[in-house]
C-alpha cells in the first residue's frame, strides 16, 4: 500500500460521512417513538423518529458495495464511517442507551473489519450516562473503531461538565478521536426559538451549536486537562473559528494558557461549501488541522470530487485531502 504522502488529489480520505446500520426495534420494545426506526419504500428507506420521517435514504447510506462504487468514481480511497446523527439518542435510560450504542458500534466495526483498506469507523456512546460512556468507549476501541461521534451536549450537560472529564481523559489515553456533530432535527433547534425555518436552522443553528460545544471544550477546561485529546468539529467548526479571534482578544489578556494553546488539537472538516470559507479556515487552523469531508451520502453533501482543494496548492491540498486524516487514523493510504 502506498503511503499517504505520495497520493495526489485523486487519493483522498473522506473524514465526514454517515452510515445507517441495522438496529433493534426499540420503539416497539419500549413503546417510545423517539427511538429511530426504518421503513422501506421501494429502493429507499425512511428514518422515522417521533412518528415522522426525518431522513429519506438510498442504498449508499447502508450498502458498503454502493459506497465503494461511489468512492471509486470520485477518487476517494478511504471513508470514515460515523452514525447518521438521528441515530444518536442522548435522552434514553442507561440500559437501553448502552445497548443501542453497542449495537451500532458492533455493526460499524463489522463493516470496517470487512473492508479495512476502504473504511475506518467512529462509533457512539451514551454520553449522558458518563460511566456507561467510558465503558462503551473502551469496548469500541477494542472492536477496532478509531473514535466516537458525539453531539454538542451530553443530554442536559454541557461538554465541559466535570462529570464528563473521565470520558474525555479515557479518549485521550486510548487515542480515540472525538467527532463533534450537531444533532438538530427538523426546522427548529431545542435551545432557541429565534432561529426558524429549515435553511436558517441548517446554516445557523447547527453552526452555532457546534461553536458553543467547541467553546466549552476549549475554554471550559477539557483541552487543558486533556492536551492530547484529538477533537474534530463537523462543518468546518460551524461559527467557532470565525468567533475565535474575538474570544482570544479577551481570553489571552486574563489567562496564562492562550486560546491558541487550548485549540491546538481541535481539527475541522472542510464541509463549508465555498472556496473563501475554506481559505479562511486554512488561515485560522493551517492545513495540518483540516480534514477533507463531504457529509456523504446526505442530500446536502459537499462536492465528492474535492475540487475546492485544488485552490489550496498541491502541498496543502495533500495535507487536507489525505495526510492529516491518515495521521489521525493511523492508516496507510494508496491505490
Amino acid at each position: 500500500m502506498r503511503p499517504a504522502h505520495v497520493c495526489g488529489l485523486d487519493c483522498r480520505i473522506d473524514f465526514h460521512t454517515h452510515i445507517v446500520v441495522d438496529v433493534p426495534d426499540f420503539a416497539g420494545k419500549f413503546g417510545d417513538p423517539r427511538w429511530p426506526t426504518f421503513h422501506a419504500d421501494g429502493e429507499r428507506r425512511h428514518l422515522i423518529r417521533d412518528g415522522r420521517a426525518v431522513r429519506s435514504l438510498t442504498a449508499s447510506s447502508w450498502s458498503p458495495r454502493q459506497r465503494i462504487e461511489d468512492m471509486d468514481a470520485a477518487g476517494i480511497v478511504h471513508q470514515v464511517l460515523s452514525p447518521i446523527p438521528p441515530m444518536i439518542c442522548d435522552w434514553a435510560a442507561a440500559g437501553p442507551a448502552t445497548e443501542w450504542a453497542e449495537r451500532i458500534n458492533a455493526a460499524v466495526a463489522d463493516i470496517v473489519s470487512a473492508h479495512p483498506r476502504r473504511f475506518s469507523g467512529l462509533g457512539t456512546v451514551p454520553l449522558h450516562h458518563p460511566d456507561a460512556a467510558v465503558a462503551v468507549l473502551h469496548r469500541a476501541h477494542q472492536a477496532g473503531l478509531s473514535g466516537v461521534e458525539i453531539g454538542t451536549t451530553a443530554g442536559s450537560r454541557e461538554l465541559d461538565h466535570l462529570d464528563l472529564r473521565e470520558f474525555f481523559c479515557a479518549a485521550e489515553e486510548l487515542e480515540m478521536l472525538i467527532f463533534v456533530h450537531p444533532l438538530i432535527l427538523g426546522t427548529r433547534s431545542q435551545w432557541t426559538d429565534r432561529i426558524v425555518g429549515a435553511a436558517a436552522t441548517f446554516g445557523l443553528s447547527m453552526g452555532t451549536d457546534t461553536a458553543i460545544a467547541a467553546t466549552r471544550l476549549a475554554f471550559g477546561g477539557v483541552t487543558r486537562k486533556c492536551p492530547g485529546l484529538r477533537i474534530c468539529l463537523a462543518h468546518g467548526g460551524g461559527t467557532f473559528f470565525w468567533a475565535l479571534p474575538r474570544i482570544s482578544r479577551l481570553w489571552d489578556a486574563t489567562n496564562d494558557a492562550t486560546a491558541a494553546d487550548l485549540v491546538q488539537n481541535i481539527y475541522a472538516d472542510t464541509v463549508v461549501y465555498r472556496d473563501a470559507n475554506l481559505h479562511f479556515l486554512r488561515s485560522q487552523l493551517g492545513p495540518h488541522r483540516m480534514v477533507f469531508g463531504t457529509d456523504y451520502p446526505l442530500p446536502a453533501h459537499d462536492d465528492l470530487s474535492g475540487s475546492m482543494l485544488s485552490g489550496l496548492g498541491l502541498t496543502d491540498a495533500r495535507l487536507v485531502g489525505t495526510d492529516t486524516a491518515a495521521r489521525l487514523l493511523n492508516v496507510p493510504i494508496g491505490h
Side-chain angles (χ1 to χ4, degrees):
M1 210 181 263
R2 227 170 30 172
H5 67 270
V6 303
C7 292
L9 296 183
D10 61 342
C11 179
R12 283 166 287 111
I13 298 174
D14 189 345
F15 192 91
H16 184 166
T17 81
H18 295 297
I19 192 160
V20 168
V21 296
D22 289 333
V23 289
D25 180 13
F26 276 18
K29 180 178 180 179
F30 297 108
D32 189 337
R34 290 178 296 174
W35 290 104
T37 59
F38 294 96
H39 292 178
D41 180 13
E43 296 183 353
R44 305 186 74 87
R45 293 183 187 176
H46 301 292
L47 193 161
I48 310 298
R49 279 188 60 169
D50 286 319
R52 62 186 180 90
V54 296
R55 294 288 186 274
S56 180
L57 307 166
T58 62
S60 55
S61 299
W62 63 82
S63 167
R65 183 176 68 178
Q66 182 61 57
R67 296 179 81 94
I68 291 171
E69 289 179 5
D70 293 346
M71 292 163 65
D72 289 344
I76 294 170
V77 297
H78 201 84
Q79 280 186 347
V80 180
L81 310 177
S82 60
I84 190 170
M87 294 184 71
I88 296 177
C89 299
D90 60 350
W91 46 266
T98 297
E99 182 183 351
W100 180 264
E102 299 274 26
R103 292 286 289 267
I104 291 175
N105 294 351
V108 174
D110 284 347
I111 296 172
V112 171
S113 178
H115 307 277
R117 292 170 61 94
R118 306 311 301 268
F119 301 125
S120 296
L122 303 179
T124 182
V125 294
L127 194 57
H128 55 303
H129 298 290
D131 290 343
V134 172
V136 173
L137 181 74
H138 277 274
R139 288 191 287 271
H141 178 260
Q142 293 167 358
L145 297 180
S146 300
V148 292
E149 177 184 39
I150 66 172
T152 53
T153 62
S156 61
R157 296 179 179 92
E158 297 290 345
L159 295 183
D160 59 350
H161 197 287
L162 290 177
D163 288 352
L164 304 177
R165 292 296 163 86
E166 183 183 355
F167 169 80
F168 288 119
C169 288
E172 177 189 33
E173 181 180 354
L174 296 170
E175 298 185 343
M176 292 285 273
L177 296 165
I178 301 295
F179 183 41
V180 180
H181 195 295
L183 304 182
I184 295 170
L185 295 175
T187 60
R188 287 182 179 270
S189 60
Q190 294 179 337
W191 51 271
T192 182
D193 59 3
R194 298 182 64 200
I195 303 172
V196 297
T201 298
F202 177 77
L204 185 57
S205 288
M206 287 189 173
T208 305
D209 202 19
T210 302
I212 294 170
T215 303
R216 290 284 191 162
L217 290 166
F219 302 106
V222 177
T223 59
R224 186 163 189 167
K225 175 69 174 177
C226 310
L229 177 67
R230 298 168 304 161
I231 300 164
C232 183
L233 306 178
H235 315 129
T239 60
F240 178 65
F241 292 106
W242 298 89
L244 189 57
R246 290 182 62 85
I247 296 172
S248 303
R249 181 78 172 183
L250 294 186
W251 178 270
D252 291 355
T254 56
N255 293 274
D256 57 342
T258 67
D261 294 333
L262 297 174
V263 303
Q264 63 182 337
N265 276 338
I266 297 182
Y267 297 71
D269 68 28
T270 64
V271 186
V272 295
Y273 300 123
R274 293 192 176 181
D275 291 349
N277 292 27
L278 185 68
H279 285 271
F280 174 81
L281 203 59
R282 178 175 62 171
S283 75
Q284 298 300 299
L285 284 78
H288 60 289
R289 284 169 47 211
M290 297 167 61
V291 290
F292 174 70
T294 64
D295 227 338
Y296 168 98
L298 299 182
H301 69 72
D302 212 342
D303 179 18
L304 298 183
S305 73
S307 59
M308 284 201 307
L309 299 183
S310 61
L312 298 177
L314 184 58
T315 299
D316 285 0
R318 285 176 174 169
L319 281 167
V320 176
T322 306
D323 290 2
T324 298
R327 172 172 53 84
L328 288 173
L329 298 165
N330 194 28
V331 294
I333 297 298
H335 295 293

